[in-house]
Amino acid sequence: MSDESPTPSSSVAPDGETAAAAAAPTDDAITPAPQRRSFWVGLNQPFAVGFAVTLGALAALLLGLAVSNLATVIIYISFALFAALGLDPIVRALERKGVGRVWGMVIVYVGFLLVIAGVILLIMPTVVAQIAQFIRDIPSMINDFEKSDAFAWLQTNFGDQIGSILKDVETFILNPANIASITGGVLAVGAGIATAISGIIIVIVLSLYFLASLNTIKASFVRLTPAKSRAKVTAMTEQITDGIGGYLMGMVILAFFNSVVAFFLHLFLGLPFPALMAVIAFCITLIPLIGPVLYWGIATIIALFTDPVAALIFAALYLVYMQLEAYVLTPRVMNRAISVPGSLVVIGALVGGTLLGLLGALVAIPITASILLIIKQVVIPRQDAKL
């Protein structure tokens, strides 16, 4: 007969439970877990809760006011940062050819300033003269349009109110008081010009600083992330900055091509104001995807007032160029840019243009592409890793 007794873990209680379960502490011996303090308990101290909520609301209001007052500064900084990203590929190309980064920046900015000065000296006097000539020629343009077949067709289908509408438009445009009210007066125009010039100078200076310290800025941003993910963040940062730089340079090149085509089409077809329309084409076609279409419509409508036949020829030829740009030039120029679906391009351009005007339309696509890259390389892999 063995003296060993069964272990407690193997003993069975009369009701079928193990001895360990039978020896479990009773409910009275269990210490209750601490309960989370409900938010509504704070209502017992209404003064403290109300004071905290009021402080939060005031802080949010002050932050919103600060952002609204600093909107111009934020726009300047954004323009300068994107200009630095756009010029960085040129500087890096010069570095690959053995030119130091400092000298590369000097070459790029001197060339950039020479181009701007040349455009201002060659184009702006002509543009100003053509704007004045355009205002003087409005009555004759309207009279010529009233004698055209297009006006006769409109009058036949829509009635005599077409002629009265044209007369009202002519009276409104040629009235100096209306022009002054639209532009805000001579002083407002002068202040606007001075503000624009000072803004351009600020953007150029800021972009110079950003371009000089771009590598340092990227390195500092990477150091804010955890050490284990810095390699991936560095690679993504390089992809985003390279894509933005390539995209911005590509948009400027395509806008330049649009302006050249518009200038020569207006010149060869005998349409008025070729230099003015070239400048308008450059500014409008900076808007991605929808910019060329907008310019095509605006330029065709303006040309209709001069010569309907020439306007139709211009519309057809510029439409052919738009197809050439979409299928030949854009893929070659944008080979370094981040690809974005066409629907998101339109949505991004519309949202950015509505919020920040030309700047918003210009930077909306790189921002959208950056968000897509982050989603593809960070968010989706994390979701795929979850079971």
Side-chain angles (χ1 to χ4, degrees):
M1 183 174 180
S2 175
D3 294 332
E4 293 180 357
S5 59
T7 60
S9 59
S10 61
S11 62
V12 180
D15 56 355
E17 296 180 355
T18 61
T26 60
D27 294 340
D28 295 337
I30 298 176
T31 303
Q35 297 182 354
R36 295 180 61 184
R37 186 177 180 182
S38 175
F39 169 78
W40 301 105
V41 177
L43 295 180
N44 295 328
Q45 299 175 346
F47 179 79
V49 173
F51 186 74
V53 171
T54 303
L55 282 180
L58 288 175
L61 181 61
L62 291 175
L63 181 61
L65 290 175
V67 171
S68 63
N69 291 329
L70 295 174
T72 303
V73 178
I74 294 173
I75 290 174
Y76 288 161
I77 294 173
S78 302
F79 259 124
L81 181 59
F82 277 90
L85 291 175
L87 295 175
D88 185 60
I90 303 177
V91 176
R92 293 170 67 175
L94 292 175
E95 284 184 305
R96 289 192 293 269
K97 294 182 180 298
V99 181
R101 186 170 182 85
V102 176
W103 283 108
M105 291 171 52
V106 172
I107 294 172
V108 168
Y109 270 86
V110 169
F112 180 68
L113 293 176
L114 288 176
V115 169
I116 292 178
V119 170
I120 291 175
L121 293 176
L122 295 176
I123 300 298
M124 289 309 296
T126 306
V127 169
V128 172
Q130 289 184 356
I131 291 174
Q133 184 65 34
F134 175 76
I135 295 175
R136 290 194 297 267
D137 289 347
I138 287 176
S140 61
M141 292 173 61
I142 293 177
N143 291 332
D144 292 340
F145 179 70
E146 289 177 346
K147 298 176 183 178
S148 65
D149 295 335
F151 177 78
W153 181 85
L154 290 173
Q155 199 169 26
T156 301
N157 290 275
F158 297 99
D160 296 334
Q161 64 267 23
I162 298 298
S164 61
I165 291 174
L166 285 176
K167 293 296 182 184
D168 293 339
V169 170
E170 179 182 0
T171 303
F172 180 82
I173 294 176
L174 296 179
N175 190 349
N178 293 330
I179 297 177
S181 63
I182 292 173
T183 58
V186 177
L187 293 178
V189 172
I193 294 174
T195 302
I197 294 174
S198 64
I200 291 173
I201 294 174
I202 292 172
V203 168
I204 291 175
V205 173
L206 281 177
S207 63
L208 180 61
Y209 282 110
F210 285 150
L211 185 60
S213 58
L214 192 59
N215 294 330
T216 305
I217 293 173
K218 291 189 289 186
S220 300
F221 171 75
V222 171
R223 292 190 64 184
L224 295 176
T225 60
K228 63 178 181 180
S229 58
R230 285 177 183 173
K232 186 174 182 179
V233 173
T234 301
M236 291 182 59
T237 302
E238 292 296 333
Q239 291 182 48
I240 291 173
T241 54
D242 290 345
I244 292 175
Y247 168 80
L248 293 176
M249 287 301 300
M251 288 304 301
V252 172
I253 293 172
L254 292 176
F256 175 75
F257 286 156
N258 275 276
S259 64
V260 171
V261 170
F263 176 79
F264 283 110
L265 284 178
H266 279 77
L267 188 65
F268 292 150
L269 294 175
L271 296 174
F273 321 116
L276 175 61
M277 298 308 296
V279 173
I280 295 174
F282 181 84
C283 295
I284 294 180
T285 54
L286 283 174
I287 302 173
L289 195 64
I290 60 176
V293 179
L294 287 176
Y295 176 75
W296 175 72
I298 293 171
T300 303
I301 292 173
I302 293 176
L304 281 173
F305 286 94
T306 302
D307 188 348
V309 176
L312 293 176
I313 296 174
F314 170 83
L317 292 177
Y318 196 80
L319 188 61
V320 171
Y321 167 75
M322 288 169 56
Q323 303 304 314
L324 179 67
E325 179 185 271
Y327 293 102
V328 178
L329 294 179
T330 300
R332 292 178 180 273
V333 173
M334 293 294 190
N335 59 348
R336 294 187 60 193
I338 305 174
S339 60
V340 182
S343 59
L344 292 182
V345 169
V346 177
I347 294 173
L350 292 176
V351 173
T354 302
L355 294 177
L356 294 175
L358 178 60
L359 171 65
L362 185 62
V363 305
I365 309 306
I367 292 176
T368 304
S370 303
I371 294 174
L372 286 178
L373 182 64
I374 293 172
I375 292 175
K376 290 179 181 178
Q377 297 194 10
V378 177
V379 178
I380 293 179
R382 288 184 179 179
Q383 296 299 321
D384 292 339
K386 295 179 181 180
L387 297 179

